[in-house]
Amino acid sequence: MKGRPLDVAALAEIQSLLGSAPIRRDLLIEYLHRIQDRFGYISSAHIIALAREMKLATAEIYEVATFYHHFDVVKDADTPPPALTVRVCDSLSCELAGAQSLLGKLKASLGQDVRVIPAPCVGRCEQAPVAVVAQNPVANATPEKVIAAVKAGRKTCAVEKYTGFDAYRRQGGYNIAVECLAGKRDAEDILKTMEASSLRGLGGAGFPTGRKWRILRGEKMPRLMAVNIDEGEPGTFKDRYYLERDPHRFLEGMLIAAWTAQVSEVYIYLRDEYAGVRAILEKEIAALQKNPPCPLPPIHLRRGAGAYICGEESAMIESIEGKRGMPRLRPPYVAQVGLFGYPTLEHNMETLFWVREILEKGADWFAGHGCHGRKGLRSFSVSGRVKKPGVHLAPAGITVKELIDEYCGGMLARHKFYAYLPGGASGGILPAAMGDIPLDFDTLQAHGCFIGSAAVIILSDRDKASTAARNLIKFFAEESCGQCTPCRVGTAKALNLMQAGKWDQPLLEQLSSAMADASICGLGQAAPNPVRCVIKHFGHEIE
């Protein structure tokens, strides 16, 4: 776009979209969303005009716009993409449910005015296969359902039945937050309760929650908070499940955490696929701010743009700042130098969701729910070959066999339990014979796996672990941010090697070691887990 003149009409359109609000660098992605939502694409003329308004280099706008999947950047406004896009999820759970067949049928059935493309996990694995028409998800999708949604023309999926602000207050909601802000609760007592509860970060890393708050209190002020609701890990959908039902329980936990850690501002980063949840949070945060039960910090709701890597905490922070979601080198850690350079308390949504109940019922209530020597509760996102997929709240340490039999109604008819993923795409794959391992933090590492965000995908005797691993590596190859060579080249090379009927196991192991040891962030470090698990436990499929 070097040397292109400013289009006066495009500049007027950009000025109209931005309105009278102050122009800020960290709002670049929000501005790009406005353009995408209004026109259905982002033209070169719009990028040049936006760069002019923001006083940024055109290349700086362009590199951000082209980094994210949900922005359609076109060089020529005379050749825009089709007016409507249908995305068909082709991640593992949807693949098991027939996503490829659905994708083919839709491409053959829908006209040229509708673009049909595959998409990475959209966070509705219990409803597989899933298609998304514009921003409207179609659960258990069939060609007929998707065509009907296309004709209906709805742009967003409204979620109607959830506990709103008034109902939540009638149920005692925000009472603990009020007590905190009124000085009736002691921060040290809250820290001790959270530490005794054994609640750990439920986004995947599992860092003890109380300890994290205590660490932040020791950092310089001001401090910020970033809430990660970018659950893009294939198999994970628990955050969406809870927010579609009880959003204020999360918001109160967020306020309590912010008060305890003495945080001055809060940023909530929500994945763009959750349009219905975004509508809920916009409405309910506004209701909270209109009638605040206690003093509130500034709360900013930020919208992702389709990038799995932004689930990594430092990549999320880069995205909130309006940049490409590229993970940072550490140290320094985000607790010391995080959002906008300030010490930052980073949390997963579900971790905060449990805060109110733990403080109401006590640390022993939460810690006492575990089994097989573990402590606490876990929200398992279960999908795949079971009768009752969904979010199942169960004791930490439950085994996958117990989870299937006691919570999921057993396997599907005429399906035999064959294998499982205990922690989503990056958590590895284990055979059914190893289905008695407690599902919790620190129990699976010895087997080359981890629980992560407790996304459990069940495979049956109609599936192959090697085929599942190829699906997962394909996902990682497409979602690598490209910053570091071990991940960018390694995932693509691994996928190519796995296309062969007989795998070159020594070369794959050498490649896996390089990725695990040298990648900057968890994507490249964990991507080899499915490969290594197949070689170790399912060797007969690849020899």
Side-chain angles (χ1 to χ4, degrees):
M1 288 180 278
K2 182 178 179 181
R4 293 197 179 190
L6 178 68
D7 186 305
V8 177
L11 179 62
E13 290 172 340
I14 293 298
Q15 290 172 336
S16 176
L17 282 174
L18 300 187
S20 59
I23 303 299
R24 288 168 35 195
R25 175 63 179 80
D26 63 293
L27 292 174
L28 172 56
I29 293 173
E30 299 295 316
Y31 300 153
L32 291 171
H33 272 302
R34 292 188 189 185
I35 300 171
Q36 178 74 37
D37 290 346
R38 170 64 179 83
F39 299 102
Y41 61 92
I42 301 172
S43 69
S44 297
H46 286 138
I47 289 178
I48 293 168
L50 183 59
R52 167 73 174 272
E53 282 297 286
M54 297 188 71
K55 296 181 173 56
L56 295 174
T58 302
E60 194 169 354
I61 307 285
Y62 183 80
E63 71 173 6
V64 173
T66 54
F67 180 84
Y68 295 93
H69 294 317
H70 291 184
F71 295 140
D72 288 311
V73 179
V74 300
K75 293 183 178 180
D76 186 352
D78 293 332
T79 56
L84 182 64
T85 296
V86 174
R87 291 180 169 86
V88 177
C89 177
D90 66 352
S91 291
L92 183 56
S93 298
C94 286
E95 187 91 6
L96 297 175
Q100 291 304 321
S101 174
L102 177 64
L103 192 61
K105 290 177 180 178
L106 289 175
K107 286 181 177 180
S109 302
L110 296 171
Q112 293 184 346
D113 292 336
V114 179
R115 177 176 54 172
V116 180
I117 59 174
C121 186
V122 297
R124 296 180 176 273
C125 314
E126 84 280 26
Q127 302 169 358
V130 178
V132 182
V133 179
Q135 294 181 340
N136 177 39
V138 180
N140 306 118
T142 63
E144 295 75 19
K145 284 185 177 181
V146 175
I147 291 170
V150 168
K151 291 179 179 178
R154 289 184 297 159
K155 290 188 176 181
T156 59
C157 177
V159 180
E160 298 176 354
K161 295 182 179 180
Y162 66 89
T163 302
F165 177 72
D166 292 337
Y168 186 74
R169 288 289 282 143
R170 288 194 297 270
Q171 297 169 7
Y174 291 107
N175 286 352
I176 293 178
V178 169
E179 292 172 0
C180 290
L181 272 296
K184 296 179 180 179
R185 291 223 177 209
D186 180 69
E188 181 61 29
D189 289 341
I190 288 179
L191 288 170
K192 289 179 178 178
T193 299
M194 297 306 299
E195 288 168 341
S197 73
S198 298
L199 178 68
R200 296 171 65 169
L202 298 173
F207 194 87
T209 302
R211 192 194 310 173
K212 180 179 282 192
W213 295 5
R214 192 178 292 280
I215 289 171
L216 257 294
R217 282 178 63 89
E219 294 297 325
K220 64 181 181 180
M221 298 182 76
R223 306 170 195 138
L224 303 179
M225 183 175 182
V227 183
N228 193 335
I229 320 180
D230 194 61
E231 56 174 359
E233 180 81 6
T236 306
F237 47 91
K238 60 183 178 60
D239 291 355
R240 172 188 59 80
Y241 175 89
Y242 285 124
L243 287 171
E244 288 179 343
R245 288 157 177 79
D246 199 357
H248 286 280
R249 189 170 296 270
F250 147 65
L251 291 172
E252 182 172 10
M254 179 186 78
L255 295 178
I256 294 168
W259 176 81
T260 306
Q262 296 178 312
V263 162
S264 58
E265 291 189 47
V266 178
Y267 288 77
I268 301 172
Y269 188 85
L270 178 69
R271 69 180 311 204
D272 194 36
E273 288 83 352
Y274 290 172
V277 172
R278 186 169 66 252
I280 290 174
L281 287 178
E282 287 174 346
K283 178 181 178 181
E284 298 307 318
I285 291 173
L288 173 64
Q289 292 171 329
K290 183 178 180 181
N291 187 22
C294 57
L296 304 176
I299 300 172
H300 310 276
L301 179 60
R302 292 296 178 84
R303 180 178 172 185
Y308 166 73
I309 191 63
C310 290
E312 195 276 339
E313 61 178 7
S314 65
M316 175 192 66
I317 284 173
E318 289 286 300
S319 190
I320 293 174
E321 293 179 353
K323 306 170 187 174
R324 294 176 296 165
M326 308 284 264
R328 298 176 178 177
L329 289 170
R330 287 166 288 191
Y333 297 95
V334 299
Q336 286 79 44
V337 182
L339 188 57
F340 305 121
Y342 297 115
T344 301
L345 176 63
E346 190 273 345
H347 260 314
N348 168 256
M349 190 290 301
E350 196 210 343
T351 310
L352 299 170
F353 186 86
W354 290 111
V355 169
R356 171 192 164 182
E357 204 156 1
I358 288 171
L359 295 178
E360 281 181 341
K361 298 180 179 179
D364 291 343
W365 166 80
F366 187 81
H369 277 88
C371 62
H372 302 303
R374 314 306 296 177
K375 292 182 178 181
L377 289 164
R378 295 288 175 271
S379 300
F380 293 95
S381 303
V382 186
S383 60
R385 309 295 195 179
V386 293
K387 290 180 180 177
K388 294 164 61 176
V391 173
H392 297 289
L393 185 62
I398 193 172
T399 69
V400 71
K401 290 181 179 178
E402 293 168 337
L403 187 64
I404 293 170
D405 293 340
E406 298 174 21
Y407 291 84
C408 301
M411 297 291 293
L412 288 172
R414 296 181 295 280
H415 284 256
K416 182 180 178 182
F417 180 36
Y418 154 74
Y420 67 108
L421 285 71
S426 56
I429 308 173
L430 292 175
M434 299 176 69
D436 293 318
I437 301 170
L439 294 175
D440 197 19
F441 299 111
D442 310 320
T443 61
L444 296 155
Q445 281 85 335
H447 308 286
C449 298
F450 55 78
I451 192 171
S453 58
V456 180
I457 304 176
I458 306 298
L459 307 181
S460 78
D461 54 351
R462 302 189 186 185
D463 308 311
K464 283 189 175 182
S466 57
T467 302
R470 271 195 297 271
N471 177 283
L472 303 175
I473 289 296
K474 176 176 176 288
F475 169 82
F476 290 129
E478 292 173 348
E479 293 299 319
S480 172
C481 75
Q483 179 177 191
C484 67
T485 302
C487 177
R488 181 184 68 251
V489 177
T491 51
K493 180 68 173 177
L495 179 60
N496 184 56
L497 290 171
M498 293 166 70
Q499 303 295 346
K502 182 178 180 180
W503 293 6
D504 186 338
Q505 296 184 36
L507 184 55
L508 276 168
E509 176 53 37
Q510 185 179 12
L511 184 61
S512 296
S513 295
M515 292 169 62
D517 293 343
S519 294
I520 289 174
C521 80
L523 192 157
Q525 293 164 8
N529 287 345
V531 181
R532 286 173 151 170
C533 284
V534 169
I535 292 173
K536 182 176 181 180
H537 301 295
F538 304 91
H540 62 282
E541 294 184 8
I542 57 174
E543 294 177 349

